[in-house]
C-alpha cells in the first residue's frame, strides 16, 4: 500500500517525510546517503512506531534494500531505569556549568509550567514519568504496530522486543548506517551508544533526539560524558527557524 496523502500518514500516526517535521535533518541524511554508506538503520525507542514506519516507507520509496531495526520494550520505562542524572534539578546544574544557555533553561522552566497546568489533578509533582505527553510510554501498542507493518507490507522492519540491557547485546545487523536514539533517559543513552558505536560505518550518524530537550536532562549529560570519554565531537545541524536545536554524532 502506497501512502500519498497527508491524512493517510496522520490517521496511521506515521511520520510524513514529505513534509517538514522534527526529523527533517535525519530523513534528509537518509535520502542523501543511503547509496553512499553501507549498513542498516537502528532505532532505539520506538513507542508506537511513528518514525520507524516513516523510515521504512522512505527506504521503500528510495528503492533501498536497507532494513530498520526497532528496539523497544513496549512496556514503558523499565523499572530502576532512572538515575540521579534524570532529575529535573540537573537543569539548574547544567546552567551553572554553562552546558546549556539561559534561553534553553528558561524554555525548560516554561515547559514545566505548561505541563503542570494540563496534568491530572491526581498527579501532584512532575517527574520523568509524567513530563512527557506520553507519560512513561507504557501506552505503547505493540500489536497495533505489527498490524500496521503487515498492512503496509513493510518487510524491511525488524522489531526487537525487550529492555536495552538485554537486546542491545544482539545487534542483528553487521553494519550500521544510522541510529536514531529516542530513549530519553541517561542509562538508555549510555547503553545504546556502548553497543552501536563500533558497528557504525564511517560517516554514519547517531541522531540524538533529546540532546536538546526541555524534559530529559539525562540524555544531554550522558552524551556529553560519552563525547568526553571517547574524544567525539557532538555536531549541530543547521537550525531551522522556529525549530529546536538538532544534534548528532558522526563516525
Amino acid at each position: 500500500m502506497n501512502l500519498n496523502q497527508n491524512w493517510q500518514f496522520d490517521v496511521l500516526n506515521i511520520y510524513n517525510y514529505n513534509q517538514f517535521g522534527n526529523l527533517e535533518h535525519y530523513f534528509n541524511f537518509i535520502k542523501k546517503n543511503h547509496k553512499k554508506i553501507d549498513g542498516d538503520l537502528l532505532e532505539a525507542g520506538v513507542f508506537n512506531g511513528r518514525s520507524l514506519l516513516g523510515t521504512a516507507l522512505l527506504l521503500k520509496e528510495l528503492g533501498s534494500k536497507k532494513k530498520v531495526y526497532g528496539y523497544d520494550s513496549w512496556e514503558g520505562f523499565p523499572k530502576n531505569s532512572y538515575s540521579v542524572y534524570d532529575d529535573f534539578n540537573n537543569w539548574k546544574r547544567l546552567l551553572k556549568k554553562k552546558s546549556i544557555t539561559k534561553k534553553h533553561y528558561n524554555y525548560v522552566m516554561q515547559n514545566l509550567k505548561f505541563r503542570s497546568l494540563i496534568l491530572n489533578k491526581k498527579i501532584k509533582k512532575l517527574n520523568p514519568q509524567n513530563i512527557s505527553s506520553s507519560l512513561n510510554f507504557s501506552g505503547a501498542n505493540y500489536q497495533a504496530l505489527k498490524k500496521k507493518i503487515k498492512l503496509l507490507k513493510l518487510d524491511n522492519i525488524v522489531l526487537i522486543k525487550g529492555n536495552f540491557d538485554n537486546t542491545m547485546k544482539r545487534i542483528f545487523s553487521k553494519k550500521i548506517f544510522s541510529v536514531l536514539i529516542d530513549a530519553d533517559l541517561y542509562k538508555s543513552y549510555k547503553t545504546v551508544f556502548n553497543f552501536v558505536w563500533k558497528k557504525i560505518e564511517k560517516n554514519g550518524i547517531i541522531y540524538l533526539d533529546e540532546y536538546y530537550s526541555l524534559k530529559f536532562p539525562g540524555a544531554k549529560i550522558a552524551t556529553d560524558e560519552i563525547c568526553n570519554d571517547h574524544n567525539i565531537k557532538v555536531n549541530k545541524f543547521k537550525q531551522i527557524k522556529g525549530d529546536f536545536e538538532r544534534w548528532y554524532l558522526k563516525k
Side-chain angles (χ1 to χ4, degrees):
M1 178 183 292
N2 295 323
L3 304 186
N4 51 31
Q5 297 288 319
N6 294 335
W7 69 265
Q8 295 170 320
F9 285 89
D10 290 341
V11 171
L12 291 172
N13 190 24
I14 297 175
Y15 184 93
N16 188 348
Y17 48 84
N18 297 308
Q19 295 186 324
F20 171 76
N22 62 303
L23 295 176
E24 182 82 3
H25 293 296
Y26 180 65
F27 277 79
N28 283 340
F29 175 83
I30 295 173
K31 293 174 185 177
K32 293 176 182 178
N33 297 284
H34 70 98
K35 291 183 179 180
K36 301 177 184 178
I37 305 172
D38 290 336
D40 293 313
L41 295 77
L42 188 151
E43 186 167 325
V46 175
F47 193 44
N48 285 320
R50 181 172 177 268
S51 55
L52 183 81
L53 294 166
T55 301
L57 285 169
L58 174 60
L59 290 173
K60 287 290 187 182
E61 186 175 300
L62 294 170
S64 174
K65 293 183 179 180
K66 295 181 184 296
K67 292 186 177 182
V68 53
Y69 291 78
Y71 286 74
D72 204 305
S73 68
W74 285 279
E75 296 177 354
F77 288 146
K79 292 181 179 179
N80 303 318
S81 60
Y82 303 107
S83 75
V84 294
Y85 303 108
D86 298 308
D87 188 279
F88 295 153
N89 290 327
N90 285 292
W91 290 119
K92 187 173 289 186
R93 298 188 186 101
L94 287 170
L95 177 64
K96 288 182 177 180
K97 290 171 57 179
K98 296 184 179 180
S99 294
I100 62 173
T101 64
K102 180 66 174 178
K103 183 178 181 180
H104 185 174
Y105 180 78
N106 288 339
Y107 282 153
V108 167
M109 294 299 104
Q110 188 178 68
N111 182 60
L112 291 174
K113 182 178 180 180
F114 288 170
R115 184 65 182 149
S116 65
L117 288 173
I118 61 175
L119 278 176
N120 189 304
K121 293 182 179 179
K122 293 181 181 179
I123 300 175
K124 297 180 180 180
K125 185 178 180 180
L126 286 171
N127 58 58
Q129 294 195 66
N130 59 36
I131 185 60
S132 173
S133 59
S134 301
L135 300 178
N136 68 350
F137 301 92
S138 59
N141 192 328
Y142 181 66
Q143 295 304 321
L145 175 57
K146 292 202 297 184
K147 288 179 181 178
K148 291 180 188 179
I149 293 171
K150 183 178 180 179
L151 172 70
L152 298 168
K153 298 180 181 180
L154 294 174
D155 57 357
N156 57 349
I157 290 179
V158 181
L159 301 180
I160 314 296
K161 195 172 189 292
N163 291 340
F164 294 154
D165 286 338
N166 298 319
T167 58
M168 282 290 167
K169 295 176 182 177
R170 297 180 286 115
I171 294 178
F172 294 88
S173 182
K174 293 181 180 180
K175 297 179 180 179
I176 296 177
F177 163 73
S178 67
V179 177
L180 168 59
I181 304 184
D182 187 3
D184 305 320
L185 305 178
Y186 175 89
K187 289 181 180 178
S188 295
Y189 262 71
K190 283 290 188 79
T191 299
V192 175
F193 176 86
N194 289 337
F195 285 110
V196 303
W197 185 248
K198 61 185 177 182
K199 288 182 174 288
I200 297 177
E201 291 289 285
K202 184 178 179 181
N203 294 320
I205 67 167
I206 298 179
Y207 184 90
L208 307 163
D209 195 65
E210 289 92 14
Y211 187 72
Y212 182 96
S213 173
L214 305 183
K215 299 177 285 190
F216 300 106
K220 176 175 175 54
I221 295 170
T223 303
D224 286 341
E225 289 180 358
I226 287 166
C227 290
N228 183 62
D229 293 343
H230 296 270
N231 194 27
I232 302 169
K233 178 184 177 182
V234 62
N235 302 282
K236 181 182 176 183
F237 285 110
K238 182 177 180 180
Q239 190 167 359
I240 300 171
K241 186 177 180 180
D243 189 26
F244 280 157
E245 296 175 12
R246 307 293 177 182
W247 296 77
Y248 66 101
L249 301 176
K250 184 176 181 180
K251 189 68 175 283

